[in-house]
């Protein structure tokens, strides 16, 4: 992989040039959090963010979109969500999240709605610095070797830019004068120092290797009931997780009976309706069973199939769940480590 | 596809105690109004027309809760005449804000406080209740008021004999779709987790907490929401009132079973 250098002041001019032919999505501020948004004012792009509220999968599969338009002529596929895009500022853990989604959406049936959007989006990764919730080092998703067209490592005065694909290279060719092909020894030293410091900045971690066994050993543990008692079934953990992929579809017919559309929207296995089948039977009526499914998927089943968890350590469930049910507290509870969480303090018998 | 009037399904739209917001919303579907009148034979719709006929109906849409004896009679009569009854709006579905005083004694006390000894002449007031306290309801279309797109697609489905397809999850789901920063996590008392979705999380989109105006979601975990708000420092009575505001009869059991009291 070729690595070149870009001076800091050339970043936004470069983004401006490459965004002439595609929408450029990048992290911008929303309140005191961040979200990915289409930008035209590059001074709004945030270079030192941690996680966005929603993961970048919203750029490929929006929370709701139309799959088909229905008219007298029949069903007509609707790919209006697929446009040429450049996604800048995506961190290693979230790129790993996309690679996990790729596995899923290519598995048995190809999902054209995802794959088309994926094909039309260039990935321009950006390095990051962990905060107290990140634990990507435990999931080994703090480094990235594939899945990007360009990757920018922010070394304060300049970026080292990894060229990950020929499409990435084409972007560089639009403005070759911005880049320097010759890295000095000092540049390389700066990078090595940065990497060492960054790795040390991860403040906590979980031993994921132990979790598949523990989930099996504790499959009937009262822990799950306890989690289920406190869970609000709000679906937030699922919606913010970069590797969750479930959806539901709904027909919307228009009055007059001639046309309509078929809507696809993000579903969540933590919601009651998710496991309901025709006739109203529900496989996972209890919240405890739904959470068990979620955590088994993330921390066990995926590991057996792909050799790594489908958690990428982004910390979104940690900052999102109102009752503190997240990979950290559940993981630690499985490991028998002490943790403080609302769900541990919650007492379903007493409200006073 | 013009159909003769007698081929079309006969529809009645009725209003009991409520703000008339749901009927108004139907009228407000300006672009689609012609389609509505084309697709169905609107026999009775007090807000829209004066030549109302109250006979056999295929579908009755009923807004508002029952708060007088006369409304009760009217509702029983609607049920007798209609093959399908749809409750529209939160008052009809769950009782609405006027059903917040659940305790009969408390209600009587309040009634006296407000109306004193005024003699009620044309009908007898009763404690406000959702329509399913008196009749069988086939479908519920919640909302405060109902949401336009949801109403149109639901109305259309019902016209074709299909049950409505509604979001059955809490406001939080739509709130996340809209990528809001959670207010509850900032210690603002948001009822999104116990409230059914459909409004598009409109309040939170404007940085206001959900007050629960769409009514309780099927699986509302009231105990957890209650204790969570307590932990965030809110007062027992404050939470109780907040949760009871729009939840109507749906929250009666929960409040009745609350342990501990005013400290
Ligand atoms: S489980 Fe939690 S930390 Fe792991 S990827 Fe999903 S949201 Fe991020
Ligand atoms: S675990 Fe937390 S975020 Fe997930 S559904 Fe339950 S309460 Fe909501
Ligand atoms: S702000 Fe309210 S509705 Fe939105 S996620 Fe938080 S609790 Fe749910
Ligand atoms: S109070 Fe809650 S349910 Fe009502 S409109 Fe606002 S967010 Fe929606």
């Amino acid at each position: 992989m070729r690595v070149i250098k870009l001076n800091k002041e050339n970043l936004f001019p470069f983004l401006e040039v490459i965004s002439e032919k595609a929408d450029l999505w990048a992290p911008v501020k929303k309140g005191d959090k961040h979200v990915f948004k289409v930008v035209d004012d590059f001074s709004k792009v945030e270079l030192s963010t941690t996680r966005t509220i929603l993961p970048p999968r919203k750029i490929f599969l929006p929370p709701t979109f139309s799959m088909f338009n229905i008219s007298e002529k029949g069903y007509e596929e609707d790919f209006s969500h697929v446009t040429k895009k450049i996604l800048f500022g995506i961190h290693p853990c979230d790129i790993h999240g996309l690679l996990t989604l790729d596995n899923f959406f290519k598995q048995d049936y190809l999902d054209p709605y995802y794959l088309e959007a994926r094909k039309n989006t260039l990935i321009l990764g950006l390095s990051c610095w962990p905060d107290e919730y990140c634990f990507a080092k435990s999931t080994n998703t703090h480094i990235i070797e594939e899945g990007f067209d360009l990757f920018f490592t922010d070394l304060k005065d300049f970026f080292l830019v990894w060229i990950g694909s020929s499409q990435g290279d084409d972007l560089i060719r639009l403005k070759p004068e911005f880049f320097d092909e010759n890295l000095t020894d000092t540049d390389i030293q700066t990078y090595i120092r940065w990497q060492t410091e960054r790795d040390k900045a991860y403040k906590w971690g979980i031993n994921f290797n132990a979790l598949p066994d523990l989930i099996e050993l504790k499959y009937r543990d009262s822990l799950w009931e306890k989690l289920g008692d406190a869970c609000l079934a709000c679906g937030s953990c699922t919606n913010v997780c970069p590797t969750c992929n479930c959806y539901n579809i709904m027909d919307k017919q228009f009055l007059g009976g001639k046309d309509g559309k078929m809507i696809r929207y993000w579903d969540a296995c933590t919601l009651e309706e998710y496991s309901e089948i025709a006739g109203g039977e529900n496989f996972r009526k209890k919240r405890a069973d739904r959470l068990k499914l979620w955590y088994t998927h993330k921390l066990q089943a995926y590991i057996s199939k792909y050799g790594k968890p489908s958690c990428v350590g982004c910390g979104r469930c940690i900052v999102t769940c109102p009752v503190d049910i997240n990979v950290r507290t559940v993981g630690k509870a499985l490991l028998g480590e002490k943790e403080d969480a609302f769900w541990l303090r919650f007492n379903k018998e007493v409200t006073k | 596809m013009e159909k003769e009037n007698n081929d079309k399904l006969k529809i009645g739209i009725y209003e009991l105690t409520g703000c008339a917001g749901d009927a108004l919303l139907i009228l407000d579907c300006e672009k689609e109004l012609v389609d509505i009148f084309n697709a169905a034979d609107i026999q009775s719709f007090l807000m829209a027309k004066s030549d109302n006929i109250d006979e056999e109906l295929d579908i009755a849409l009923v807004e508002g809760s029952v708060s007088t004896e006369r409304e009760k009679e009217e509702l029983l009569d609607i049920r007798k005449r209609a093959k399908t009854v749809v409750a529209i709006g939160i008052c009809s579905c769950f009782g609405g804000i006027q059903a917040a005083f659940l305790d009969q004694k408390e209600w009587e006390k309040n009634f006296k406080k407000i109306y004193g000894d005024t003699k009620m002449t044309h009908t007898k007031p009763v404690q406000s209740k959702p329509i399913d306290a008196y009749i069988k309801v086939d479908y519920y279309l919640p909302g405060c008021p109902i949401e336009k797109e949801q109403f149109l697609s639901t109305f259309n489905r019902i016209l074709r004999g299909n049950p409505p397809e509604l979001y059955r999850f809490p406001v939080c789901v739509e709130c996340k779709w809209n990528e809001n920063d959670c207010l509850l996590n900032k210690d603002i008392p948001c009822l999104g987790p116990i409230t059914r979705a459909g409004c598009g999380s409109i309040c939170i989109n404007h940085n206001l907490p959900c007050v629960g105006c769409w009514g309780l979601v099927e699986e509302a975990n009231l105990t957890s929401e209650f204790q969570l708000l307590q932990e965030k420092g809110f007062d027992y009575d404050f939470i109780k009132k907040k949760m009871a505001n729009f939840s109507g009869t749906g929250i009666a059991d929960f409040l009745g079973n609350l342990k501990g009291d005013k400290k």
Side-chain angles (χ1 to χ4, degrees):
Chain A
M1 209 176 294
R2 204 150 58 92
V3 186
I4 54 179
K5 194 175 147 180
L6 173 71
N7 276 335
K8 202 115 229 200
E9 67 269 17
N10 283 332
L11 177 71
F12 291 154
F14 175 66
L15 293 182
E16 202 163 340
V17 170
I18 62 171
S19 63
E20 266 163 27
K21 289 205 175 67
D23 284 339
L24 188 116
W25 289 69
V28 297
K29 249 192 163 10
K30 180 174 182 180
D32 41 22
K33 297 274 183 354
H34 294 91
V35 299
F36 280 107
K37 235 179 125 178
V38 180
V39 282
D40 30 36
D41 176 359
F42 293 93
S43 63
K44 298 260 157 64
V45 175
E46 293 276 336
L47 294 177
S48 53
T49 60
T50 52
R51 65 198 68 71
T52 46
I53 300 177
L54 286 184
R57 66 183 161 101
K58 71 163 193 182
I59 296 157
F60 303 89
L61 295 170
T64 65
F65 66 92
S66 161
M67 294 175 83
F68 291 102
N69 290 316
I70 307 156
S71 68
E72 277 173 325
K73 286 182 259 144
Y75 283 90
E76 202 189 321
E77 285 175 322
D78 183 352
F79 276 95
S80 49
H81 73 293
V82 177
T83 52
K84 288 255 172 259
K85 296 183 186 97
I86 296 174
L87 170 52
F88 172 78
I90 173 171
H91 297 155
C93 65
D94 276 347
I95 299 178
H96 278 282
L98 291 178
L99 296 175
T100 303
L101 291 182
D102 292 349
N103 284 338
F104 179 80
F105 287 123
K106 282 187 200 160
Q107 196 166 233
D108 297 317
Y109 302 97
L110 301 182
D111 184 332
Y113 293 94
Y114 174 79
L115 295 172
E116 281 305 307
R118 193 80 163 92
K119 246 191 269 165
N120 281 282
T121 307
L122 295 179
I123 303 295
L124 273 52
L126 177 66
S127 62
C128 50
W129 201 265
D131 68 2
E132 69 265 42
Y133 304 109
C134 297
F135 58 103
K137 204 160 153 253
S138 302
T139 46
N140 208 26
T141 50
H142 61 316
I143 36 176
I144 184 83
E145 279 152 5
E146 53 170 340
F148 56 84
D149 299 288
L150 295 175
F151 191 90
F152 296 73
T153 301
D154 187 345
L155 298 173
K156 236 170 119 195
D157 304 323
F158 65 96
F159 294 97
L160 283 188
V161 184
W162 271 254
I163 303 172
S165 74
S166 56
Q167 279 176 301
D169 198 39
D170 291 343
L171 294 179
I172 303 290
R173 281 167 203 275
L174 291 173
K175 268 292 175 205
E177 61 271 33
F178 283 172
F179 297 88
D180 190 347
E181 299 273 343
N182 306 308
L183 306 188
T184 63
D185 276 351
T186 333
D187 295 340
I188 297 169
Q189 281 310 318
T190 312
Y191 172 67
I192 293 173
R193 228 178 305 121
W194 171 85
Q195 203 183 34
T196 320
E197 290 301 310
R198 196 275 318 262
D199 286 1
K200 272 197 271 178
Y202 286 94
K203 290 284 177 294
W204 66 281
I206 291 186
N207 177 9
F208 276 87
N209 296 334
L211 293 179
D213 279 349
L214 281 172
I215 286 194
E216 230 151 81
L217 290 167
K218 297 198 173 178
Y219 206 71
R220 289 194 174 69
D221 200 282
S222 59
L223 157 76
W224 302 107
E225 294 298 325
K226 187 104 184 98
L227 291 164
D229 288 342
C231 172
L232 297 160
C234 69
S236 291
C237 49
T238 326
N239 276 325
V240 301
C241 181
T243 65
C244 277
N245 46 51
C246 291
Y247 61 88
N248 200 359
I249 52 173
M250 189 183 260
D251 280 332
K252 293 240 167 154
Q253 296 158 323
F254 301 134
L255 268 174
K258 278 182 248 137
D259 3 77
K261 51 190 174 173
M262 188 187 275
I263 299 293
R264 169 167 166 175
Y265 62 87
W266 290 6
D267 203 352
C269 60
T270 39
L271 301 173
E272 187 177 26
E273 192 191 359
Y274 179 87
S275 307
E276 195 177 278
I277 54 162
E281 277 306 309
N282 196 324
F283 294 122
R284 293 182 209 94
K285 183 106 192 115
K286 286 171 66 181
R287 291 188 292 272
D289 290 336
R290 283 177 249 152
L291 289 171
K292 202 189 275 186
L293 174 85
W294 204 77
Y295 284 98
T296 307
H297 172 139
K298 300 281 165 202
L299 309 177
Q300 187 205 36
Y302 198 87
I303 303 185
S304 359
K305 191 157 178 192
Y306 294 100
K308 55 181 185 184
S310 82
C311 168
V312 296
C314 73
R316 285 190 180 86
C317 54
I318 306 178
V319 298
T320 304
C321 174
V323 297
D324 307 331
I325 298 173
N326 54 54
V327 168
R328 175 157 74 186
T329 61
V330 175
K332 296 224 161 162
L334 284 165
L335 288 159
E337 292 172 24
K338 261 210 143 42
E339 258 296 297
D340 186 33
F342 174 81
W343 65 267
L344 282 164
R345 296 188 294 273
F346 176 72
N347 184 344
K348 69 167 174 171
E349 306 298 338
V350 193
T351 291
K352 59 173 187 216
Chain B
M1 236 185 37
E2 275 302 304
K3 278 198 219 153
E4 282 303 310
N5 248 6
N6 45 14
D7 285 349
K8 295 184 193 166
L9 294 184
K10 294 186 170 59
I11 314 285
I13 301 171
Y14 299 95
E15 297 153 48
L16 306 177
T17 299
C19 69
D22 304 299
L24 196 62
L25 182 125
I26 297 173
L27 269 189
D28 196 39
C29 294
E30 281 171 34
K31 207 160 63 76
E32 297 85 358
L33 211 52
V34 177
D35 286 339
I36 295 180
F37 276 83
N38 271 338
D41 173 11
I42 310 288
Q43 295 239 319
S44 180
F45 188 4
L46 204 58
M47 191 184 270
K49 60 196 205 91
S50 47
D51 58 336
N52 294 310
I53 321 164
D54 290 317
E55 291 171 0
E56 299 279 289
L57 288 171
D58 292 295
I59 302 162
L61 306 178
V62 183
E63 162 178 353
S65 68
V66 177
S67 60
T68 65
E69 282 294 339
R70 204 176 68 179
E71 283 181 341
K72 196 163 106 189
E73 307 289 297
E74 193 187 340
L75 180 68
L76 293 174
D77 177 56
I78 293 169
R79 180 69 269 189
K80 245 187 255 151
R81 291 189 283 115
K83 292 199 190 97
T84 302
V85 173
V86 187
I88 59 168
I90 192 188
C91 301
S92 179
C93 293
F94 310 114
I97 212 161
Q98 63 271 32
F101 290 108
L102 296 163
D103 185 271
Q104 175 73 26
K105 285 223 174 65
E106 213 183 320
W107 176 78
E108 277 164 15
K109 224 170 68 199
N110 265 285
F111 190 86
K112 218 174 155 94
K113 200 163 114 196
I114 293 160
Y115 294 100
D117 290 326
T118 314
K119 243 200 141 79
M120 302 288 157
T121 47
H122 61 290
T123 180
K124 185 170 165 281
V126 294
Q127 186 181 2
S128 185
K129 286 197 175 138
I131 65 171
D132 64 5
Y134 301 103
I135 62 163
K136 180 181 164 281
V137 173
D138 299 290
Y139 301 124
Y140 297 84
L141 184 58
C144 185
I146 51 175
E147 195 266 338
K148 194 165 167 175
E149 204 186 308
Q150 197 178 65
F151 164 72
L152 289 170
S153 75
T154 301
F155 187 60
N156 197 28
R157 286 180 70 93
I158 297 173
L159 283 186
R160 291 152 189 251
N162 296 328
E165 206 177 5
L166 306 172
Y167 288 156
R168 286 168 55 196
F169 42 69
V171 174
C172 296
V173 172
E174 289 183 299
C175 183
K176 283 280 92 62
W177 291 353
N178 291 319
E179 210 164 3
N180 295 313
D181 189 9
C182 179
L183 297 176
L184 196 52
N185 286 342
K186 295 195 221 171
D187 298 341
I188 298 165
C190 183
L191 296 189
I194 59 168
T195 305
R196 66 180 66 210
C199 67
S201 71
I202 184 160
C203 295
I204 307 100
N205 302 350
H206 292 91
N207 216 10
L208 293 167
C210 173
V211 296
C213 84
W214 273 52
L216 292 180
V217 67
E218 285 164 61
E219 206 196 5
N221 188 344
L222 299 168
T223 318
S224 186
E225 173 89 16
F226 201 102
Q227 276 184 34
L228 188 65
L229 291 176
Q230 275 187 310
E231 245 204 41
K232 292 183 185 296
F234 295 100
D235 171 73
Y236 182 94
D237 286 327
F238 169 86
I239 306 169
K240 202 170 147 183
K241 274 199 192 123
K242 196 164 182 68
M243 278 168 77
N245 229 348
F246 285 99
S247 305
T249 43
I251 204 166
D253 284 347
F254 174 74
L255 293 182
N257 287 334
L258 267 184
K259 291 195 188 116
D261 222 322
K262 328 223 151 95
K263 350 171 235 271

